[in-house]
Amino acid sequence: MHQAVAPIAPQDRSFAASLVIALARGASSDTIATIVAQNRDLRDKNAKLQTENESQRTRIASLQEQVARLSTLLFGVKRERLPASALQLLLESIVLSADGATAPPAEPADAHSQDATASPMAADAEPVSERTASEPGDAQTPSEVTPVPPPPPSGVRKRATPHGRRPLPEHLPVETVKLPPDEIPEGTRCIGQEVSYRLAYRKAGYIRLRVVREKFAEDNDDASTTVHIASVPDEMIPRGLPDPAMLAHTIHSKWADHIPYTRLSKMIARHGLDASVSTLSAWEKLAEPTARIVVDAAWEQAITKCQVMGIDATGVRVMDTPHDRRAHVWVLLADRAQVFFRYSALHTSDMPKSWLEGFQGIAVADASSVYDDLFRTPFGPTEAGCFAHARRKYFFAMPTDMRARPFVELADALFAIERDAARLSHQGRLAVRKERSVPVIEHFARERDRLLADSTVDPRGPLSRALRYSLNHWAALTRFLTNGRIPLSNNDVEREIRHVAIGRKNWMHLGSDDAAEVACTWLSLIASARHAGLDSEQYLRDLCRVLPSWPRNRVIELAPMNWIATRARLLPKELDAPLGKITIPPPLSQSP
């Protein structure tokens, strides 16, 4: 029996032919060995070139992705929303699939199409995010939940946006300007008038607050005299120049309106006052230790009572010698109600681990490695992922591989469901998620697994990275299906980070590590007041008025989330006065 001879591979045929010719010509063994060695060298070089070619191809694809993203940042629209029609078609197909019906076939998208209408670089939208809304009490059961209406059918025209001038708010003061005719003939009578409104501005100003402490003398029986005078009022800055309103306005202008003190100093100078940058900075620094008491009390309560904590960080510049250095400001959002800013010189895992020590609720975060130690801590928080991060990875993979687009549309469908359920109770929202979000998530997982097994997907490309990100963090990304309190994304925290990002384009950098700690205190109070529905500047003014004389064991009553109830029990006349006595009401727990 003859053994079958394996065919000669194409790359070995030229070598075999050269060897046969050499043998036919009676070549020596040294010549044969040289030919074999040369062939081995050529094969090694060929393998090396193929490896380099593959590496260069991957690098070119990566550079193309970077160029597309940078082009968008420089010249294009930075929002990441797809056309509404695509989302509508997807929702209809998911509903049909859930009912067992057959969806109309969709045209297959070319995996590498660069059509401008489908490219994320041409999409005129922003990332779809959840809308924070007030929720009814948790006592509402799923059976009592009003069914969420299905999306409107395609082809229905949206109601036109009304045009024209809006009426001015009624609470604005009114000044009347009467315009009589140029000439009023004798014997005429007024038969009416035509009234229209303009929006006017009256320049605000500063005043000198003259504080008079009257003295009273009492003659005693022993011929001595007792002098009675009002005690020095308690203030955020003892014997300081700014009153509560001025201090609040200065701090709010920088940390809420992003006006650096160099600019604010010039604005004050237009009123004929001299307020240097160092003076303004000193005011916020001297008042901060007292204000920090409120932030620390609110944090102590949040870390023990809140159930869901969102966390993220952003970079800031800190002045140093000889060059500025990069540091980080962290944002922690407790139950989507209280906001806390924290500062760290380094972006390490020690910081979130130390801040959230003792917290055993749900921590919503992206998949950064700085949170690994936090989630590995025994009896520590449970991780919940951010679907906006997962969506963004697919979105930025679309320029190089349009097979990423269905995943973006599926994520948009999830966000649309969340918007529909935003005003429901936690139980009602969970019921809606189980009914409508679970089919979308299951479809997402099937498509992800199918593409992971597809050999045509570049293992080093952006689509593959997006697929692996979703696979590796799937348990955290789908945690929202188990609890109605858990948000689909961490967008609420990112919206708070946006205030820091806007601010650092104006004040540029922080003066020192201590200055960064001061900034975090004021940012925490302003952001928490905004979440509580308060006028943040008015809240700072009232806080600076009340806090110096408030009992230190009850400062939690002055936190933004409790301020409406606390303010209602204060005497308006005392609160409105810039200085003077504040009558402390009984604790909230003892109030009738």
Side-chain angles (χ1 to χ4, degrees), residues 354-422:
S354 63
W355 292 326
L356 295 179
E357 183 178 1
F359 176 65
Q360 298 183 358
I362 303 294
V364 185
D366 56 32
S368 174
S369 59
V370 297
Y371 305 115
D372 291 346
D373 288 350
L374 173 66
F375 295 125
R376 284 197 290 259
T377 303
F379 306 105
T382 302
E383 180 184 9
C386 174
F387 228 97
H389 279 77
R391 178 193 183 277
R392 187 170 296 121
K393 292 183 180 297
Y394 288 104
F395 184 85
F396 286 121
M398 286 170 58
T400 57
D401 196 330
M402 284 303 297
R403 286 177 290 183
R405 176 167 179 149
F407 295 96
V408 177
E409 295 173 345
L410 288 168
D412 288 348
L414 292 174
F415 281 107
I417 295 170
E418 290 298 304
R419 287 195 296 275
D420 291 340

Side-chain angles (χ1 to χ4, degrees), residues 72 77-82 114-125 394-400 402 405:
T72 301
V77 181
K78 299 177 179 62
R79 293 170 290 183
E80 302 171 5
R81 190 181 304 160
L82 293 179
Q114 297 294 325
D115 182 47
T117 60
S119 172
M121 301 304 130
D124 182 17
Y394 288 104
F395 184 85
F396 286 121
M398 286 170 58
T400 57
M402 284 303 297
R405 176 167 179 149

Side-chain angles (χ1 to χ4, degrees), residues 108-372:
D110 185 3
H112 304 285
S113 173
Q114 297 294 325
D115 182 47
T117 60
S119 172
M121 301 304 130
D124 182 17
E126 61 186 1
V128 178
S129 60
E130 299 167 283
R131 303 295 189 267
T132 304
S134 59
E135 300 170 345
D138 294 346
Q140 187 179 13
T141 61
S143 60
E144 298 170 339
V145 173
T146 303
V148 177
S154 58
V156 176
R157 295 182 60 184
K158 289 182 60 177
R159 181 177 298 178
T161 303
H163 298 282
R165 181 180 298 175
R166 297 181 181 179
L168 296 176
E170 294 292 336
H171 68 272
L172 294 179
V174 177
E175 294 182 10
T176 301
V177 178
K178 292 186 176 181
L179 303 176
D182 294 337
E183 295 183 3
I184 304 178
E186 186 176 353
T188 59
R189 66 184 186 278
C190 181
I191 61 173
Q193 57 186 5
E194 292 186 3
V195 179
S196 62
Y197 287 90
R198 305 289 186 272
L199 183 61
Y201 173 74
R202 299 293 177 259
K203 187 175 182 179
Y206 301 90
I207 64 172
R208 288 188 299 166
L209 187 63
R210 185 167 174 257
V211 182
V212 179
R213 297 165 60 211
E214 294 182 325
K215 296 181 180 181
F216 294 87
E218 178 186 5
D219 295 329
N220 302 320
D221 295 337
D222 58 357
S224 63
T225 301
T226 302
V227 177
H228 298 272
I229 185 172
S231 58
V232 177
D234 296 325
E235 298 179 84
M236 294 288 286
I237 305 175
R239 296 185 180 274
L241 181 62
D243 83 325
M246 180 65 191
L247 182 60
H249 175 71
T250 301
I251 295 170
H252 192 271
S253 295
K254 180 171 183 180
W255 300 116
D257 298 332
H258 318 299
I259 302 176
Y261 284 151
T262 52
R263 195 180 308 158
L264 184 60
S265 177
K266 296 177 182 178
M267 294 168 63
I268 296 175
R270 292 200 292 265
H271 294 264
L273 299 174
D274 182 14
S276 64
V277 174
S278 59
T279 298
L280 300 176
S281 300
W283 289 352
E284 73 165 24
K285 182 178 180 181
L286 292 172
E288 186 269 341
T290 306
R292 187 185 298 182
I293 300 173
V294 178
V295 177
D296 291 343
W299 173 254
E300 183 179 351
Q301 183 185 76
I303 204 69
T304 56
K305 294 186 177 181
C306 91
Q307 300 189 39
V308 179
M309 182 80 73
I311 182 171
D312 205 346
T314 186
V316 293
R317 306 298 301 178
V318 177
M319 292 182 64
D320 205 344
T321 303
H323 304 291
D324 289 358
R325 54 183 169 85
R326 180 178 173 83
H328 290 82
V329 170
W330 304 67
V331 178
L332 299 101
L333 178 60
D335 283 339
R336 308 176 80 174
Q338 299 185 84
V339 187
F340 302 93
F341 286 77
R342 292 289 185 265
Y343 168 77
S344 68
L346 301 175
H347 191 249
T348 62
S349 59
D350 295 336
M351 309 314 298
K353 185 177 179 181
S354 63
W355 292 326
L356 295 179
E357 183 178 1
F359 176 65
Q360 298 183 358
I362 303 294
V364 185
D366 56 32
S368 174
S369 59
V370 297
Y371 305 115
D372 291 346

Side-chain angles (χ1 to χ4, degrees), residues 514-530:
D514 291 340
E517 297 286 356
V518 171
C520 287
T521 296
W522 298 118
L523 286 169
S524 299
L525 291 171
I526 291 170
S528 295
R530 187 168 53 245

Side-chain angles (χ1 to χ4, degrees), residues 10-52:
Q11 62 270 24
D12 294 333
R13 288 173 184 171
S14 58
F15 167 70
S18 301
L19 193 60
V20 169
I21 293 173
L23 291 173
R25 295 179 178 177
S28 62
S29 59
D30 293 340
T31 303
I32 299 300
T34 301
I35 294 175
V36 172
Q38 290 176 347
N39 178 71
R40 187 183 302 111
D41 292 341
L42 290 173
R43 296 186 64 176
D44 291 344
K45 290 180 180 179
N46 182 57
K48 183 179 180 181
L49 290 173
Q50 288 181 348
T51 302
E52 291 179 355

Side-chain angles (χ1 to χ4, degrees), residues 425-479:
S425 67
H426 302 307
Q427 294 90 339
R429 187 180 303 113
L430 182 60
V432 171
R433 287 174 175 177
K434 288 184 178 299
E435 178 185 356
R436 298 177 55 187
S437 299
V438 168
V440 179
I441 285 292
E442 292 174 347
H443 184 59
F444 192 107
R446 287 194 299 269
E447 291 300 306
R448 179 203 63 205
D449 295 341
R450 181 181 65 81
L451 284 183
L452 281 172
D454 192 338
S455 60
T456 63
V457 176
D458 184 358
R460 301 181 185 178
L463 176 57
S464 180
R465 291 197 298 269
L467 294 168
R468 291 196 302 271
Y469 178 93
S470 301
L471 178 65
N472 295 337
H473 306 285
W474 192 244
L477 290 172
T478 55
R479 191 87 60 193

